[in-house]
Amino acid sequence: MTETTTTTTEPRPRILYPDSGPEPPYPLRMEGTVISGFGRGSKELGIPTANLPVDAATTPWIADARSGVYFGWASLALPAPHPDSATASSSPPNSNNNNNNTNGTPSSPQTDATQTQFQIYPMVMSIGYNPFYKNSVRSAEVHVLHSFGADFYDAPMRLLILGFVRDERDYSGLDALVEDIRIDCDVARQSLSREAWTPAQGVVGGARGTFDGAWLVRRGEE
Ligand code: ADP
Ligand code: MG
């Protein structure tokens, strides 16, 4: 059961869970605003991780979650100036760019999230412990499986976590770590590409499936 240092040649399955779709307790939800991480240089490794604050009140399940790597879908509400934003960059933020959401309470902190369209991407993430809090508080960081034209700190992000990939491991060197993460990404892509795992709402650059991902793209607080 205890997995310590791995040999990189150990075969790992690329498809996890049945084709029929996610099973309880999944999907698990999480949402927040992308914050600065621990400065571990994940971007330099080619694996940037968008860190989310862990709010025990809105994610009660996380206290007992197994530490390790998970996969699922992330949605991001990128502001219009961002190169990957779905919101037309040619129109100013408050123009009539056919968003028919209610326009009340302009000073509400939800305003940005409700006026900017959420776009769905596949992701792998780790749930662990935050070194800033002497490893007593959970941490969550998400590697989005997409090549972005710019960073997206402060962007609203939602997660539907659909499955567990593996436990945390100790590595003898950086190469073994990067190789394992590369496989995690492959596992996520392949497992998520099945019809019953793919949101009916559509994925950036991908097909539509039958999985209900409405929560990822909903506007407002429904
Ligand atoms: P930090 O320690 O601040 O989290 P990272 O090196 O982990 O720094 O980089 C994370 C940041 O990189 C994210 O907050 C996001 O703005 C940006 N980023 C760019 N591409 C991605 C991606 N594919 N997945 C996650 N974050 C990305
Ligand atoms: Mg990070």
Side-chain angles (χ1 to χ4, degrees):
M1 285 283 280
T2 328
E3 295 183 80
T4 52
T5 314
T6 61
T7 59
T8 52
T9 51
E10 189 181 308
R12 289 178 51 191
R14 297 306 200 267
I15 302 274
L16 299 180
Y17 299 102
D19 292 348
S20 49
E23 300 175 333
Y26 305 104
L28 294 169
R29 290 179 182 179
M30 188 168 176
E31 67 182 314
T33 298
V34 176
I35 54 172
S36 286
F38 315 125
R40 286 169 175 159
S42 18
K43 200 177 285 173
E44 287 70 24
L45 295 179
I47 311 155
T49 58
N51 292 63
L52 278 184
V54 173
D55 180 346
T58 54
T59 53
W61 54 267
I62 207 166
D64 300 319
R66 184 170 169 181
S67 290
V69 178
Y70 293 79
F71 72 99
W73 300 100
S75 64
L76 281 166
L78 299 170
H82 192 283
D84 297 276
S85 175
T87 311
S89 52
S90 53
S91 55
N94 286 322
S95 75
N96 57 345
N97 53 350
N98 73 16
N99 56 352
N100 47 12
N101 58 309
T102 55
N103 253 343
T105 61
S107 61
S108 140
Q110 267 82 50
T111 300
D112 284 343
T114 55
Q115 291 184 346
T116 311
Q117 202 174 312
F118 276 87
Q119 302 178 91
I120 306 177
Y121 305 89
M123 64 85 179
V124 282
M125 69 179 295
S126 89
I127 293 176
Y129 284 94
N130 191 327
F132 284 171
Y133 296 95
K134 299 190 172 163
N135 296 326
S136 60
V137 169
R138 301 314 296 255
S139 71
E141 40 188 307
V142 179
H143 176 59
V144 183
L145 296 171
H146 183 79
S147 180
F148 290 92
D151 286 350
F152 45 85
Y153 288 105
D154 299 325
M157 180 184 248
R158 295 180 189 147
L159 306 177
L160 277 183
I161 300 160
L162 301 193
F164 181 82
V165 179
R166 64 170 171 88
D167 291 308
E168 289 176 316
R169 289 177 186 151
D170 288 327
Y171 295 94
S172 47
L174 219 48
D175 286 355
L177 166 69
V178 172
E179 171 65 5
D180 240 5
I181 295 173
R182 204 190 56 72
I183 296 173
D184 297 335
C185 296
D186 206 22
V187 168
R189 277 194 187 287
Q190 294 203 35
S191 297
L192 291 168
S193 67
R194 294 169 291 176
E195 190 179 20
W197 293 76
T198 302
Q201 288 71 22
V203 177
V204 172
R208 281 174 201 271
T210 55
F211 175 72
D212 179 8
W215 179 77
L216 288 167
V217 293
R218 89 202 192 297
R219 293 168 185 264
E221 289 300 297
E222 286 301 300

